Amino acid sequence: SYRTLDRLKEGWAELKAAHPSELTGLDVRIQRIDTGKNGVFRRLLAGPVNSRTAANGLCQALSAKGVYCKTVTFSGSAL
């Protein structure tokens, strides 16, 4: 999650550069998360992925490289 839209864009560029085989061809969606006292964050979602099985495999590959990943529905605002 990112505090600002600019930081989210930078983060996506960094992730794509570091993990091109996993992320090339995926689009980004943004979910706005209001945590109350901790403020507003923007969550980056990458996809769409063809199936939940494929999404789980993608997350396992990214997690093995130290990248936080969770399989969720691909929704939110376009970047």
Side-chain angles (χ1 to χ4, degrees):
S1 297
Y2 300 89
R3 288 261 186 206
T4 68
L5 183 57
D6 286 341
R7 183 63 195 115
L8 183 141
K9 290 177 182 178
E10 291 171 5
W12 177 236
E14 291 167 3
L15 285 168
K16 284 194 311 185
H19 309 285
S21 63
E22 291 89 354
L23 300 175
T24 296
L26 297 181
D27 292 324
V28 171
R29 294 289 181 268
I30 303 162
Q31 288 183 340
R32 184 180 184 275
I33 308 298
D34 188 342
T35 65
K37 71 176 188 170
N38 290 322
V40 175
F41 290 84
R42 284 139 190 96
R43 184 173 293 151
L44 186 154
L45 287 79
V49 180
N50 293 332
S51 68
R52 182 164 291 278
T53 300
N56 288 337
L58 175 61
C59 275
Q60 287 176 349
L62 289 169
S63 294
K65 295 179 177 185
V67 177
Y68 175 79
C69 186
K70 181 178 178 182
T71 302
V72 298
T73 300
F74 186 61
S75 63
S77 303
L79 182 59

